[in-house]
Amino acid sequence: QVVADMREKRYAQEGIGSSYLFRVDHDTIIDATKCGNLARFINHCCTPNCYAKVITIEAQKKIVIYSKQAIGVNEEITYDYKFPIEDTKIPCLCRTESCRGTLN
């Protein structure tokens, strides 16, 4: 967590608008901000069509995105980021009927 916090601050100082950090477990956070595949750009939604799950393959933890329903061609893939509750709120822009209003 300490390294992730330092990176977030450094990215802000460098003018990088978004960071792509994904918590795998209590001790591990994957940082895909400067490298990673296109899945790092999957948007949050309060009523998502997918969910993220951490699985172990050959002793390595991997993040897998599973569909919750049929997804049409050109339909956006989304999942709930499940950010922890914090005092400083991040507004949610999903605009679904059951939008919580914030990501955290």
Side-chain angles (χ1 to χ4, degrees):
Q1 184 65 55
V2 173
V3 173
D5 292 341
M6 288 183 344
R7 286 187 183 186
E8 276 189 311
K9 288 177 188 171
R10 185 174 70 222
Y11 294 153
Q13 291 169 346
E14 292 174 358
I16 296 174
S18 297
S19 59
Y20 300 92
L21 303 170
F22 191 106
R23 178 172 295 285
V24 173
D25 58 31
H26 180 67
D27 300 317
T28 307
I29 298 173
I30 294 175
D31 183 359
T33 303
K34 294 190 175 183
C35 66
N37 65 29
L38 290 175
R40 68 184 174 183
F41 299 117
I42 296 174
N43 284 322
H44 163 85
C45 184
C46 294
T47 53
N49 56 16
C50 295
Y51 64 96
K53 184 176 180 180
V54 177
I55 64 171
T56 302
I57 300 175
E58 297 180 1
Q60 285 192 327
K61 292 185 178 182
K62 307 283 184 179
I63 303 163
V64 181
I65 307 298
Y66 290 96
S67 171
K68 296 170 72 173
Q69 62 201 43
I71 299 173
V73 175
N74 295 324
E75 183 180 350
E76 182 178 17
I77 295 171
T78 60
Y79 70 93
D80 186 341
Y81 289 178
K82 297 183 180 180
F83 284 170
I85 296 172
E86 298 182 59
D87 291 337
T88 304
K89 298 297 181 190
I90 303 169
C92 179
L93 305 174
C94 77
R95 299 186 187 127
T96 62
E97 267 187 42
S98 57
C99 179
R100 296 186 303 267
T102 66
L103 274 66
N104 58 348

